């Protein structure tokens, strides 16, 4: 009997991102169920088209509270609490600025400084009133907009994992475009671990800096090279600094977080991105459940620790610190 395993790949485009599911059995009904779930959650959480629960909340800014479903409420609650952490670079009310910059969307441009100054006061997370009794959300200032782009894919990845488990699938890989969930392990391979590529920024789509080997983990990467535009030799990418309203500018090209929950991975990539390498390493020292790989503009690759994965460097342009 051959020990070579057959992998069955299924793909879709959802949330403006290529979605890839790998199974070890030919089971298109599982794939359909997965894509249906992602679509359902996208329809609740999107701010890119009408209608969605989140759009209803945003349209009612400055007018009245909106009752949302329990899962949407809990996600908003989580996003608010992370936004209120001291010096947090995660801000779920960044919507007005995201919409003004349009980075990664048609019509992106560098806004005049005055526009940014005028929009910054609309991004105060304190001005979101949450009522757990009724699951209602109220943006108290007109013009405020919630954007869950930095957390929703992680939340959705975790729900996909739950669904796959319900359907009896223990080993699978799902990539939501930057959020990878490696369930179990490839069942028959000699490696017994999933190999997940760390992308080489601003290179060929398939070019890798190296490979992370993980079992049963979420691997989330945020970088400045996926959604950006260039103007007068300067790169403007989609992770905005909530203090300035401009793209976060530090030594980093990308941050990858390895964790059990993909929602944590999604949150931490944004938080750590804003902290920079040194502060992140200190911050993660007492968080063994969260591990990170930083790629810097000077081509250093820095691993916070390697308890839950193994990293192998493949590209000689980069150096392991
Ligand atoms: P992350 O680094 O995790 O998050 C960056 C994103 O979060 C930014 O794109 C912005 O939306 C927001 N953000 C920026 N700065 C901050 C900050 N400081 N704090 C908090 N959030 C911040 N893309 C399309 O092109 N078309 C679509 O129709 C579309 N629909 C989507 C629907 C849903 C439900 C979701 C979750 C995403 C959708 N996207 C769509 C992609 C989306 O616009 C973001 O690009 C994507 O979520 C970024 O994820 P990331 O992991 O790459 O980046
Ligand atoms: Mg994120």
């Amino acid at each position: 009997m051959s020990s070579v395993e057959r992998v069955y790949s299924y793909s879709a485009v959802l949330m403006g991102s290529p979605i890839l599911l790998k199974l070890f059995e030919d089971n298109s009904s599982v794939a359909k169920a997965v894509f249906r779930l992602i679509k359902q959650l996208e329809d609740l959480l999107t701010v890119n088209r009408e209608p969605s629960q989140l759009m209803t909340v945003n349209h009612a800014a400055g007018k009245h509270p909106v009752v949302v479903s329990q899962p949407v409420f809990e996600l908003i609650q989580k996003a608010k609490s992370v936004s209120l952490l001291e010096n947090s670079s995660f801000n779920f009310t960044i919507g007005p600025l995201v919409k003004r910059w349009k980075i990664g969307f048609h019509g992106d441009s560098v806004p005049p400084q005055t526009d940014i100054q005028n929009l910054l006061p609309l991004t105060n997370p304190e001005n979101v009133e949450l009522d757990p009794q009724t699951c209602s959300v109220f943006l108290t200032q007109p013009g405020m907009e919630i954007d869950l782009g930095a957390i929703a894919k992680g939340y959705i990845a975790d729900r996909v994992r739950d669904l796959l488990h319900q359907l009896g699938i223990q080993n699978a890989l799902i990539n939501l475009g930057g959020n990878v969930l490696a369930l179990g392990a490839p069942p028959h391979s000699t490696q017994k671990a999933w190999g997940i590529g760390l992308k080489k920024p601003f290179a060929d789509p398939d070019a890798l800096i190296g490979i992370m080997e993980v079992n049963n983990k979420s691997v989330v990467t945020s970088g400045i090279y996926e959604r950006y535009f260039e103007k007068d030799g300067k790169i403007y990418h989609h992770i905005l600094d909530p203090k300035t309203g401009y793209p976060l500018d530090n030594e980093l090209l990308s941050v990858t977080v390895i964790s059990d929950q993909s929602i944590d991975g999604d949150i931490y990539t944004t938080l750590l991105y804003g902290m920079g390498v040194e502060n992140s390493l200190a911050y993660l020292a007492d968080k063994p459940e969260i591990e990170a790989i930083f790629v810097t503009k000077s081509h250093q690759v820095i691993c916070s620790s390697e308890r839950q994965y193994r990293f192998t460097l493949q590209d000689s342009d980069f150096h392991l610190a």
Side-chain angles (χ1 to χ4, degrees):
M1 215 166 68
S2 161
S3 65
V4 177
E5 59 209 342
R6 290 227 35 197
V7 178
Y8 297 85
S9 297
Y10 304 88
S11 58
V13 176
L14 295 161
M15 305 185 285
S17 315
I19 313 284
L20 180 72
L21 172 68
K22 287 187 181 182
L23 298 174
F24 293 97
E25 56 188 76
D26 186 3
N27 198 332
S28 59
S29 67
V30 165
K32 267 191 204 133
V34 165
F35 295 143
R36 199 184 308 126
L37 174 65
I38 297 171
K39 178 80 172 65
Q40 277 166 1
L41 295 172
E42 176 182 5
D43 287 346
L44 295 176
L45 299 169
T46 187
V47 288
N48 294 307
R49 59 167 191 277
E50 307 280 354
S52 77
Q53 289 196 5
L54 210 51
M55 288 299 275
T56 309
V57 170
N58 288 346
H59 287 318
K63 296 180 199 149
H64 56 83
V66 170
V67 174
V68 297
S69 59
Q70 180 88 23
V72 172
F73 184 82
E74 284 170 11
L75 185 59
I76 290 175
Q77 211 171 24
K78 176 91 181 177
K80 180 176 174 181
S81 70
V82 178
S83 303
L84 290 176
L85 293 173
E86 205 183 334
N87 281 324
S88 181
S89 50
F90 185 109
N91 183 338
F92 81 127
T93 57
I94 198 100
L97 285 163
V98 172
K99 284 276 149 56
R100 183 63 188 83
W101 280 92
K102 293 202 177 78
I103 299 172
F105 291 83
H106 185 69
D108 49 11
S109 65
V110 183
Q113 169 90 42
T114 47
D115 285 18
I116 292 185
Q117 291 316 319
N118 292 339
L119 292 172
L120 275 171
L122 297 176
T123 64
N124 183 355
E126 302 268 13
N127 291 336
V128 180
E129 287 177 3
L130 300 179
D131 181 358
Q133 297 301 317
T134 54
C135 281
S136 72
V137 183
F138 182 33
L139 310 184
T140 60
Q141 308 300 310
M144 285 181 78
E145 285 180 60
I146 293 179
D147 181 323
L148 299 177
I151 187 172
K153 277 192 197 172
Y155 168 78
I156 293 172
D158 290 335
R159 298 295 73 77
V160 169
R161 175 202 54 208
D162 297 347
L163 173 67
L164 288 169
H165 284 165
Q166 271 169 31
L167 296 172
I169 307 279
Q170 299 303 328
N171 306 304
L173 189 101
I174 177 121
N175 188 341
L176 302 185
N179 285 59
V180 178
L181 208 65
L183 286 196
H188 309 300
S189 88
T190 45
Q191 299 272 308
K192 291 282 175 216
W194 291 103
I196 298 175
L198 179 61
K199 274 199 185 180
K200 183 172 178 172
F202 304 113
D204 241 46
D206 294 334
L208 299 178
I209 296 177
I211 298 278
M212 296 161 275
E213 285 172 75
V214 296
N215 283 333
N216 227 10
K217 292 285 166 201
S218 155
V219 180
V220 180
T221 300
S222 267
I224 68 170
Y225 56 88
E226 291 283 2
R227 284 173 185 253
Y228 69 94
F229 67 94
E230 229 173 313
K231 181 93 195 340
D232 301 329
K234 202 172 154 30
I235 281 177
Y236 295 91
H237 64 86
H238 72 148
I239 310 167
L240 302 177
D241 182 342
K243 288 200 188 70
T244 64
Y246 285 84
L248 269 166
D249 190 13
N250 59 19
E251 75 274 38
L252 284 165
L253 289 175
S254 72
V255 180
T256 299
V257 171
I258 297 102
S259 57
D260 285 332
Q261 308 297 325
S262 196
I263 191 169
D264 291 337
D266 215 352
I267 291 168
Y268 276 101
T269 47
T270 308
L271 283 180
L272 300 178
Y273 203 98
M275 284 184 203
V277 178
E278 217 164 294
N279 289 335
S280 293
L281 292 176
Y283 182 79
L284 291 176
D286 63 353
K287 292 184 182 58
E289 72 284 8
I290 306 290
E291 291 184 284
I293 303 178
F294 304 89
V295 178
T296 70
K297 290 176 181 162
S298 59
H299 286 196
Q300 301 276 329
V301 179
I302 301 146
C303 300
S304 69
S305 56
E306 274 181 83
R307 298 182 184 93
Q308 317 184 56
Y309 68 97
R310 222 176 52 187
F311 179 71
T312 311
L313 188 72
Q314 288 184 334
D315 189 300
S316 56
D317 288 351
F318 287 79
H319 308 279
L320 262 178

